Amino acid sequence: MLDSKTPEGPLADKWTKYKDHIQLVNPANKRSIDVIIVGTGLAGSSAAASLAEMGYNVKAFCFQDSPRRAHSIAAQGGINAAKNYQNDGDSVHRLFYDTIKGGDYRSREANVHRLAEVSTNIIDQCVAQGVPFAREYGGLLDNRSFGGVQVSRTFYAKGQTGQQLLLGAYSALSRQISKGKVTMYTRHEMMDVVVVDGKCRGIIAKNLVSGELERHSAHAVVLATGGYGNVFYLSTNAMGSNVSAAWKAHKKGAHMANPCFTQIHPTCIPVSGEHQSKLTLMSESLRNDGRIWVPAKKEDAEAIRKGAKKASDISEADRDYYLERRYPAFGNLVPRDVASRAAKERCDAGFGVNETGEAVFLDYASAIERYGNTEANIRGLKSQSQAEITALGKEMVKAKYGNLFDMYKQIAADDPYEMPMKIYPAVHYTMGGLWVDYNLMTAVPGLYAAGEANFSDHGANRLGASALMQGLADGYFVLPYTIGDYLSKDIRTGKISPDSPEFKTAEAEVQSRMDRLINNNGTKPVDYFHRRLGRIMWDECGMSRNEEGLKRAIQAIRSLREEFWKDVRVPGAINSFNPELDKAGRVADFLEQAELMCLDALERRESCGGHFREEYQTAEGEALRDDDHFAFVSAWEFTGDPGEAKLIKEDLVFENIELKQRSYK
Amino acid sequence: MNLTLKVWRQNGPDDKGHMETHPIEGVSPDMSFLEMIDMLNDQIIRAGGDPIAFDHDCREGICGMCSMFINGEAHGPGRGVTTCQLHMRSFKDGDTIAIEPWRASAFPVIKDLTVDRSAFDRIIQAGGYVSVNTSGNTIDANAILVPKVQADEAFSSATCIGCGACVASCKNASAMLFVSAKVSQFALLPQGQPERESRVLRMVEQMDKEGFGNCTNTGACEVECPKGIDLSNIARMNRDFLKSSAKSEN
């Protein structure tokens, strides 16, 4: 059984009490303590800036050419905070409750409550830094609503909230770099963590430009290295997003928690062909006004797939608005996991609407008409023709969603004002990640995980606009306290030597793996294997899973891994700028981690949030949770082979919330 | 589609570099430009060659990492798009396409199409921030009022993705559009006022130190900017710079 180190006392007082009683490090001692931060997204940049500001010597690492490029930058929708500026009944408790429920009761109460508590500080902090959030005419901050909640608590900067928040954190980081308190290592990738006498004491990093390995020592290491959605090859993640840092930590003793919890986002632009390298999200906000449908008759669907019919040829009576049909109470606004599964169900049944059969319509025709009529009324226009109403409506929709419609047009080469968009679910976020305790420390003392890289706050399904909140909460407001408490015991340790046998061994291991990859003399490029892995994962460990399929996947992954090491071809040399070699290392890690994901999905014999096991569903096809047997975190300990990992449980105790079956009917 | 690609190859900053010709067949019009390059690299690797090195990451037009100079234009023929959002349907069967890196002495080539843009980071480090600690114990967010028009304008300036297309497009390799976008964001907001003068002086000084050229108002940067950052930012920076310089010389 794992100890979460959750402080005693009433839920709402835990964090305050904790902060009041931790050990502090005095300013002089902070100057002789080093901290390494890997990754410079929201969690990493904010942690690096905050710790440096407090006086620690920080080294920060990112594989991109600048810390500002981390994939937090691509978040569109917004960031939640319990400010209750709209006076609509929001509170810290309500944000806490929504997040636990949205996560289908598979997250830790104390962590989520702390997240809700510090959410308000995030907005204050970001505004002080000059983040240009959207404003109302009176100059106050504007809010909007997001899926799965009944209040307006989402702060936003058009469709680029992630960009603006990351640039805010990047500016705070840049300020500390200019002061010399943070040493920034760009185009550097962490290759391994180094554990000395049971404590994490540094990393082996690779300078991606020169190809050289470097040893960096520290008193503590923070991994803020994001999620592992790219194990599916196709996802909304950036091309470089990878599991390697977390996986290396796992192999050195950190537990991987709930690895099978993956978020599949319902509204993405469908795959257009074999060449596809990534998928693009269309914001959740489109489901506010758009209606999702497929033809009710199979022959119509077939005709559309062959190009013999268009969406507009299908009469209203022959359309199946399946979300409205199945979930009358929430309709098109059901949570992400539910909407994704429903789309898959229709496509699997033969009603898909593009060449591959994997797409459904997101239709704005009725919204255009509705907006058109409203606008005509507002402008006092009488007896308008249908065409005039439609033109007005398009104008209104453009004002609201114009940039998204343009993006769709650019990628799909189709005009969404005239024809419904075609959309399909895609991998978007991973709720699972490194197991951490209340202090965000992994099972390895001195090794921390923050942001998407840890598992802690979103349970089995993340709510929209909560990832940005968690990244900044961890970096700005949680780690600065919890790391200090740990480091207070390290003030007499002195400088950590990067020349100990542990560092040398770790470096030699990294070196020999790179040698093996580069001298493999295989015939196929890295992407060939990555694509095949993605297909296996998507088919067997994607939106719905079953025992047989997962067992099949485990076998397939094992043989693919073998084939990879026999036949992969990595061009170029080791001591040079070699992106193919870097990619090969990352895919090699995905090939191991994928097996653990399937194992975790196999062992979790219930359905919850994004994890849908076909064997465990209600008569109506909804997810069937089993709280009696599975109200725990599955933390996996590495034992030498990815598929032989040992399951350690952390029981989830709900003292403040009553467990209920989620219903959106 | 069948195409002929002429691609810049350069093995490190000290190598002279040359154009290399690659025919490519079976390109789908639905591919993004970078997916077409992926396809070419797949061919090259299978044939035992050295793939073309290029920067890319998010592939949805926001990270600012992709940076190709295509047929003489930064990010190619499209307007308001980055290289990763450019699709092959913008080209015709039989086209010859020239692909080069950003060219500027302040952006040395690392390999092939990959350049070093760390000069941009150093300019931000010189003053592209509001000096506020990250304690969270600032004043309540709504205590700072920002008129909507001003907030929207600051946001427009803040959408710069730092790709460097402005520098690559400018005949003088000037970084004025990039620097002025950040200067403007803070100049337009109340939070940026206390450091407004020192910020512009320090950032411009660093810009000059990095070896970027001067602005001669040709406006090429504005045309090629994938995020539509406009020249009024440069005007605002010039105004602030002159005002601050005059004051600091007193």
Side-chain angles (χ1 to χ4, degrees), chain A residues 81-86 90 119-121 123-124 143 153 155, chain B residues 139-142:
Chain A
K83 278 286 195 185
N84 194 27
Y85 282 161
Q86 305 304 325
D90 200 9
S119 67
T120 55
N121 297 105
I123 303 304
D124 297 345
N143 290 114
R153 63 160 75 100
F155 294 79
Chain B
I139 49 172
D140 183 83
N142 259 350

Side-chain angles (χ1 to χ4, degrees), chain A residues 331-558:
Chain A
N332 292 297
L333 275 173
V334 289
R336 291 175 177 178
D337 50 341
V338 178
S340 292
R341 271 198 294 280
K344 178 177 161 42
E345 189 275 328
R346 283 292 82 191
C347 292
D348 287 353
F351 295 92
V353 295
N354 69 352
E355 303 79 38
T356 63
E358 292 192 330
V360 299
F361 288 127
L362 174 60
D363 198 336
Y364 263 70
S366 62
I368 286 172
E369 201 179 314
R370 181 160 43 86
Y371 279 118
N373 279 318
T374 310
E375 192 60 21
N377 288 337
I378 291 171
R379 295 188 192 177
L381 304 171
K382 300 268 186 296
S383 60
Q384 296 289 296
S385 71
Q386 193 55 43
E388 285 164 318
I389 297 280
T390 306
L392 267 181
K394 282 180 188 165
E395 211 178 291
M396 294 301 106
V397 167
K398 190 177 177 144
K400 234 177 155 170
Y401 303 106
N403 62 331
L404 295 168
F405 276 49
D406 289 347
M407 189 155 85
Y408 180 85
K409 201 171 172 181
Q410 184 68 32
I411 295 172
D414 203 7
D415 185 356
Y417 293 102
E418 302 300 331
M419 276 291 154
M421 294 186 211
K422 290 173 189 164
I423 52 146
Y424 200 66
V427 175
H428 182 56
Y429 185 90
T430 51
M431 283 74 68
L434 289 169
W435 181 87
V436 289
D437 62 15
Y438 187 75
N439 302 309
L440 303 185
M441 186 150 87
T442 67
V444 178
L447 179 62
Y448 292 78
E452 192 180 349
N454 75 28
F455 87 103
S456 76
D457 295 344
H458 307 296
N461 176 56
R462 179 176 65 74
L463 288 180
S466 283
L468 301 184
M469 171 172 69
Q470 187 220 339
L472 289 180
D474 287 358
Y476 280 140
F477 305 126
V478 179
L479 280 173
Y481 288 96
T482 61
I483 282 199
D485 190 41
Y486 171 80
L487 292 172
S488 66
K489 287 134 203 144
D490 237 353
I491 53 172
R492 288 183 194 81
T493 310
K495 203 96 191 136
I496 310 285
S497 164
D499 298 319
S500 63
E502 288 86 351
F503 271 93
K504 287 180 179 161
T505 311
E507 186 186 336
E509 279 168 12
V510 171
Q511 186 67 48
S512 81
R513 190 183 194 232
M514 290 195 322
D515 289 340
R516 196 178 155 196
L517 282 169
I518 209 102
N519 296 318
N520 203 42
N521 288 324
T523 61
K524 299 194 179 72
V526 177
D527 281 350
Y528 166 82
F529 297 96
H530 196 180
R531 272 204 183 91
R532 280 178 58 195
L533 175 66
R535 195 71 235 181
I536 299 170
M537 294 305 284
W538 181 245
D539 288 344
E540 313 284 19
C541 197
M543 269 183 285
S544 81
R545 299 125 183 220
N546 62 55
E547 182 170 339
E548 203 189 322
L550 288 165
K551 285 182 173 162
R552 205 164 43 224
I554 289 173
Q555 289 312 318
I557 293 163
R558 281 188 192 162

